[in-house]
Amino acid sequence: MKQAQIVVDAAGGAGGGAGRLKTELDAFLAERAAPIRVVGRDRQLTASWLIRREVVAGDVPVVAALNNVSFAWRGIERRVLVHNALHFLAPAEGHLLTVQPRSLRAQIPVVRRLLHRADVIAVPCSAMAQRVVDRVPAVRDRLVVLANPVSPVGPRVPTGEVSTILVPVVPSPFKNVVAELRVLLAALDRRQQPTRVRMTAYPHELPDDLARHPRLDLLGQLTHHELSEHWRRTTAVFFPCQVESFGYPLAEARVYGLPVLAPDTAQSREVAGSALTPYRLADVDSLAEALDGIHRTVVPEPDAFERGAYFTRLLGLDRGRPGHQADRSPAAEARAVRP
């Protein structure tokens, strides 16, 4: 095997969007031989690891961090993926930090400060790019918008007679999913149709009245493979969350060809594309009207978020190839696709 030219730090969360990204990375590495070495896969993102990884990385031309925190000094070229909106909340959203653990709050100044050490900063959508620019304006020219990779697991399977709406969101203090779930159930009750709602949550994570609602099936926390089976068999998707760096459910709906009920925001339109079925938050009438569209035809776009192109750009594997400007600086590359 060739000596590694790129070291990727994959330390940090194994669940949610971070875990999904690592699944895509593993598939990418299995598909092709590339001079890439992954470190930190099973490690927590701690201060001690941030110091140790600089030594572990060794003397390589390119280092890339998938966990929001740029390498500080290792590598001729430093790349970082920034995909946690909580690190870049707007002043009006500051109250959301009060319900976050102290460890996350302590990460914020470190994440922002080390952005200045990065040559290329990848973010998954334009809204996230704007969050970063608003909080750390000096790194504007280093930003690259790269939508996260989303690969479908097989084609959709015809659903039964009863329609189902998938809510692939784990309840969290900063997500507005509980309040909007009440709106969804109220809108469904008004329609008086036998639609089921399936949510990736446990009963203890919801108020008792919601957990016992006759329309609601609670699936608990599922692996990516287990959840993929629900994606293939559902009628539509419900994703009301606003504080998101990307919104995987928006992209999944687009890939599988499913209507996704979500707020009508620029981020929803960018990620979901034609799969978006918009509604106004906290508005039962608006959501009841949107529910009329859950059986509409949405053309699947299985290659909309193709992982090969994503990791090729994220890790700079296309630099120096025929047709690519080999002498192009990382800053120039970022400016070429900045929001």
Side-chain angles (χ1 to χ4, degrees), residues 205-254:
E205 294 176 310
L206 296 175
D208 287 345
D209 62 315
L210 277 182
R212 295 193 305 266
H213 196 284
R215 288 187 185 272
L216 188 60
D217 301 321
L218 297 178
L219 307 175
Q221 292 189 30
L222 305 178
T223 65
H224 169 56
H225 178 74
E226 291 169 334
L227 185 56
S228 294
E229 292 305 304
H230 288 281
W231 276 105
R232 296 175 63 206
R233 289 170 167 81
T234 196
T235 307
V237 186
F238 183 60
F239 187 68
C241 305
Q242 291 183 290
V243 181
E244 293 285 333
S245 65
F246 180 55
Y248 265 107
L250 300 171
E252 297 272 13
R254 182 171 176 176

Side-chain angles (χ1 to χ4, degrees), residues 8-303:
V8 177
D9 178 23
R20 175 64 193 278
L21 186 73
K22 291 177 188 179
T23 299
E24 297 282 0
L25 174 63
D26 289 341
F28 172 78
L29 294 176
E31 291 167 351
R32 68 198 67 202
I36 297 170
R37 179 163 62 98
V38 180
V39 300
R41 189 184 293 275
D42 299 318
R43 288 182 173 270
Q44 296 295 316
L45 191 62
T46 61
S48 61
W49 169 248
L50 293 180
I51 296 171
R52 177 167 170 70
R53 72 178 181 177
E54 303 278 351
V55 177
V56 169
D59 187 16
V60 293
V62 178
V63 289
L66 303 185
N67 44 35
N68 306 291
V69 191
S70 173
F71 279 80
W73 67 81
R74 187 64 77 178
I76 298 171
E77 178 179 314
R78 290 183 285 272
R79 292 170 171 258
V80 61
L81 173 61
V82 176
H83 55 147
N84 190 339
L86 293 174
H87 290 147
F88 301 92
L89 292 174
E93 300 168 327
H95 64 282
L96 297 176
L97 285 179
T98 63
V99 295
Q100 298 307 310
R102 181 181 299 176
S103 58
L104 185 138
R105 298 197 298 272
Q107 292 171 7
I108 294 174
V110 178
V111 168
R112 295 184 183 181
R113 189 173 302 120
L114 283 176
L115 284 185
H116 296 280
R117 300 292 297 162
D119 298 296
V120 176
I121 303 165
V123 291
C125 72
S126 299
M128 186 62 187
Q130 191 60 56
R131 284 184 178 276
V132 175
V133 168
D134 288 345
R135 306 276 76 79
V136 193
V139 303
R140 174 189 296 271
D141 286 347
R142 307 176 203 178
L143 287 172
V144 180
V145 176
L146 295 176
N148 286 351
V150 180
S151 305
V153 181
R156 287 186 59 192
V157 176
T159 55
E161 293 183 2
V162 177
S163 300
T164 59
I165 296 176
L166 181 64
V167 188
V169 183
V170 177
S172 178
F174 74 91
K175 296 182 184 288
N176 57 328
V177 66
V178 170
E180 291 302 306
L181 182 61
R182 292 186 186 280
V183 177
L184 173 63
L185 293 170
L188 288 170
D189 288 343
R190 178 180 296 183
R191 289 166 55 87
Q192 297 184 341
Q193 293 180 359
T195 303
R196 305 294 304 172
V197 176
R198 294 175 179 167
M199 183 176 183
T200 52
Y202 291 106
H204 71 268
E205 294 176 310
L206 296 175
D208 287 345
D209 62 315
L210 277 182
R212 295 193 305 266
H213 196 284
R215 288 187 185 272
L216 188 60
D217 301 321
L218 297 178
L219 307 175
Q221 292 189 30
L222 305 178
T223 65
H224 169 56
H225 178 74
E226 291 169 334
L227 185 56
S228 294
E229 292 305 304
H230 288 281
W231 276 105
R232 296 175 63 206
R233 289 170 167 81
T234 196
T235 307
V237 186
F238 183 60
F239 187 68
C241 305
Q242 291 183 290
V243 181
E244 293 285 333
S245 65
F246 180 55
Y248 265 107
L250 300 171
E252 297 272 13
R254 182 171 176 176
V255 163
Y256 282 103
L258 292 164
V260 54
L261 303 158
D264 188 11
T265 64
Q267 183 169 346
S268 294
R269 293 189 294 273
E270 178 180 342
V271 179
S274 63
L276 178 63
T277 301
Y279 82 98
R280 294 184 298 276
L281 288 170
D283 189 328
V284 176
D285 292 335
S286 175
L287 190 47
E289 183 178 344
L291 285 167
D292 290 334
I294 66 171
H295 293 286
R296 69 183 177 89
T297 299
V298 177
V299 177
E301 298 182 56
D303 298 323

